[in-house]
Amino acid sequence: MNPLKILIVEDEHKLAQVLQQGLKEQGFVVEWADDGALGLDMALEGSFDAVILDVMLPGMNGFEVLSELRKSGSTLPVIMLTARNNVDDRVRGLDHGADDYLAKPFDFKELLARLRAILRRPKTELRTTLRVAGLTMNLKSREVRRDGKFIDLTPKEFGILEYLLSRKGLVLTKAMIMDHVWPSDADCQGSSNLVEVYVNHLRKKVDQDHAVKLIQTVRGSGYIIQDQT
Ligand code: CA
């Protein structure tokens, strides 16, 4: 069996060195990136089995790295290192698709245990296409089609549709869509009209020319996308 390959994305050289050394002693092959953008490139290109990803990184932070990684369709297991025992950071990490998190400072033995646990999990099927009825969204090429016909979406419309499709059959409230698509835009918080406007645009593009309407309004609650049966 080939040794398992771990990527460490951490800008604190001392900690990165300790981790590298410790993991090598455990028989892992280890590579290290000391900034977010480099880490993302390596995670996308290298054949790693897991990533240990720090949140506080220069340039591109750990959440951004993780969210780009997941957008590209990667299901690579990721453990996030949060700076302190910060619940928001943990929730944010898990929301962005982290598999586990560890608050600094941590015990190396604990990291090892978490790492082994996520490596034991069965590899999730690599999901690159989301679909409902005749609507398909390719997460790699970012192409959206309905019955084979290309639909041109803005990045925000794409984000909303991706969120709806990834939770097909579930009602998403305007607040959930707001948090998901405009996460750091404090000015827009609370403006549910904005969500309405965007969903209406999206609806025109996706449903207008079709008898079957895929995006449904759940009055007083939010929106849902589902197969019409
Ligand atoms: Ca750091």
Side-chain angles (χ1 to χ4, degrees):
M1 198 179 126
N2 289 329
L4 294 169
K5 244 177 109 180
I6 310 298
L7 172 64
I8 299 172
V9 187
E10 168 62 85
D11 60 318
E12 285 161 54
H13 289 210
K14 227 175 184 169
L15 175 59
Q17 275 164 10
V18 171
L19 292 180
Q20 278 194 91
Q21 187 59 36
L23 291 172
K24 280 179 183 164
E25 280 167 14
Q26 296 294 320
F28 293 102
V29 171
V30 188
E31 287 188 33
W32 169 41
D34 68 354
D35 77 70
L38 175 64
L40 177 63
D41 283 348
M42 288 171 73
L44 288 172
E45 284 162 21
S47 48
F48 292 98
D49 295 287
V51 182
I52 297 168
L53 176 63
D54 189 34
V55 169
M56 299 295 285
L57 292 166
M60 195 178 190
N61 72 37
F63 296 124
E64 292 165 333
V65 171
L66 180 60
S67 129
E68 288 303 313
L69 191 64
R70 293 298 182 239
K71 263 189 215 158
S72 77
S74 168
T75 56
L76 194 57
V78 172
I79 298 182
M80 296 216 77
L81 303 181
T82 59
R84 53 200 171 273
N85 234 334
N86 183 325
V87 178
D88 285 346
D89 273 5
R90 285 192 219 168
V91 171
R92 227 174 133 193
L94 296 174
D95 265 0
H96 279 72
D99 297 272
D100 206 348
Y101 57 83
L102 209 51
K104 286 179 177 179
F106 54 84
D107 193 277
F108 180 73
K109 274 187 208 149
E110 176 152 25
L111 174 71
L112 203 56
R114 303 280 183 101
L115 190 58
R116 292 211 161 110
I118 65 166
L119 288 168
R120 269 198 305 269
R121 288 183 199 164
K123 281 211 165 73
T124 14
E125 189 195 333
L126 193 69
R127 277 201 321 172
T128 56
T129 305
L130 300 175
R131 66 178 78 235
V132 64
L135 181 70
T136 58
M137 168 178 273
N138 187 312
L139 297 175
K140 274 205 169 140
S141 65
R142 299 182 71 79
E143 259 187 17
V144 178
R145 291 174 183 276
R146 184 150 181 196
D147 299 338
K149 202 175 150 214
F150 179 73
I151 301 174
D152 191 21
L153 298 181
T154 66
K156 291 294 184 204
E157 291 163 356
F158 186 95
I160 295 172
L161 186 61
E162 181 190 6
Y163 191 37
L164 283 165
L165 280 171
S166 65
R167 285 161 179 75
K168 185 168 71 176
L170 299 173
V171 177
L172 301 182
T173 65
K174 285 177 194 166
M176 288 164 76
I177 294 173
M178 197 78 219
D179 281 355
H180 189 82
V181 183
W182 286 268
S184 53
D185 210 336
D187 291 347
C188 295
Q189 290 299 331
S191 163
S192 61
N193 275 345
L194 194 66
V195 173
E196 262 169 55
V197 169
Y198 274 87
V199 170
N200 285 337
H201 287 194
L202 183 60
R203 213 170 228 162
K204 269 191 195 138
K205 294 183 179 179
V206 170
D207 280 334
Q208 187 166 255
D209 302 333
H210 298 266
V212 175
K213 309 299 180 198
L214 298 174
I215 302 170
Q216 302 284 327
T217 302
V218 180
R219 206 157 289 283
S221 301
Y223 303 97
I224 187 169
I225 199 163
Q226 60 187 342
D227 284 301
Q228 304 292 309
T229 45

